[in-house]
Amino acid sequence: MKKDIHPDYHTITVQLVDGTTYQTRSTYGSAGDTLQLDIDPSVHPAWTGGKSQLLDAGGQVARFNKRFGGLTLGKK
């Protein structure tokens, strides 16, 4: 295995928008640095699994289903 090719893995402090902090290990910055997040992962849909919506702009989904609804990938 090659030496000195991996980044330094050290402890940093992560500060959330609401002011709470926690320590984790990361390759970000240098040991003891603080990573300040601009978004709050406790309420952001990317981390909480928020529901996405399918917007049907002008009936595009219905028109697609009408044109290609009968197609199958299986053998006949």
Side-chain angles (χ1 to χ4, degrees), residues 12-27:
I12 65 166
T13 302
V14 177
Q15 183 177 8
L16 303 178
V17 176
D18 63 357
T20 58
T21 61
Y22 66 94
Q23 289 194 340
T24 186
R25 293 179 47 87
S26 175
T27 58

Side-chain angles (χ1 to χ4, degrees), residues 55-65:
L55 299 177
D56 187 8
Q60 291 181 358
V61 173
R63 189 170 58 230
F64 177 85
N65 287 335

Side-chain angles (χ1 to χ4, degrees), residues 21-42:
T21 61
Y22 66 94
Q23 289 194 340
T24 186
R25 293 179 47 87
S26 175
T27 58
Y28 171 82
S30 58
D33 281 355
T34 300
L35 173 64
Q36 295 180 347
L37 296 180
D38 293 336
I39 54 178
D40 191 0
S42 64

